Amino acid sequence: MLSWLRGRATRHAPEPDRDDAPALRAEVNPEVLNCLEDVLDPEVGISVVHLGLVYRAVRTPERIEVDLTLTARTCPLGGLIVEDARTCLTRRFVDCPSLQVRLVWNPIWTPDRITPRGLELLGRSPRAES
C-alpha cells in the first residue's frame, strides 16, 4: 500500500501556487488540529494531520472551518474521512453552532506534506533540515 501511495503521489508534478490556493497551515487552530489527529486515513491507518492533509483549521466562537485534502482525488473513502472529521469535531466542540469540513484540491497533496511524526509512523526517516 505504501509503495502505491508513494508512486501515486509522485506521479504528478505539483501545480504552481495560485492566488486561490489556500495557504498551508496559515490558519491552523491547535485545538482543532489536535482533535483531527483522531481522524485516520483508512487505507494507511495514519492521522490526516500527520499525513499533512489538513490545510486549514479555523475556530471562532461562531464556527469551525476545516479544509482538508486527500492523497488522491480518486480516493473512494473521501466521504468517510470528511464524516469522521465532522464527528470528531462535533464531539469535542459541542457548543459550536456551525461546523464546516470541506475537501479542497488546491494545492495538490504531495508526500512533502507528511509531518515528521507521520514519516516516523510510516517507518521513514525524518527529512534533513535545510
Side-chain angles (χ1 to χ4, degrees), residues 18-112:
R18 297 181 184 167
D19 290 338
D20 63 338
L24 292 182
R25 301 206 185 271
E27 298 180 81
V28 177
N29 179 284
E31 290 178 311
V32 173
L33 205 59
N34 179 271
C35 178
L36 293 173
E37 285 184 10
D38 292 337
V39 178
L40 301 180
D41 180 305
E43 291 183 307
V44 184
I46 296 177
S47 158
V48 295
V49 171
H50 295 306
L51 285 173
L53 300 177
V54 179
Y55 287 175
R56 185 169 167 266
V58 177
R59 180 178 176 212
T60 68
E62 297 82 31
R63 66 186 296 126
I64 293 175
E65 296 178 10
V66 173
D67 290 347
L68 58 88
T69 195
L70 303 173
T71 55
R73 278 188 185 229
T74 57
C75 176
L77 302 172
L80 177 66
I81 293 171
V82 168
E83 193 55 38
D84 284 352
R86 281 190 188 116
T87 300
C88 283
L89 292 166
T90 301
R91 284 185 192 147
R92 172 89 177 264
F93 302 103
V94 293
D95 60 336
C96 182
S98 176
L99 177 67
Q100 180 181 21
V101 179
R102 295 182 307 167
L103 279 178
V104 296
W105 304 109
N106 248 341
I108 292 175
W109 179 87
T110 69
D112 292 334

Side-chain angles (χ1 to χ4, degrees), residues 2-21:
L2 292 179
S3 62
W4 176 86
L5 179 64
R6 281 192 297 273
R8 181 80 180 141
T10 58
R11 207 173 288 155
H12 306 286
E15 288 182 6
D17 288 335
R18 297 181 184 167
D19 290 338
D20 63 338

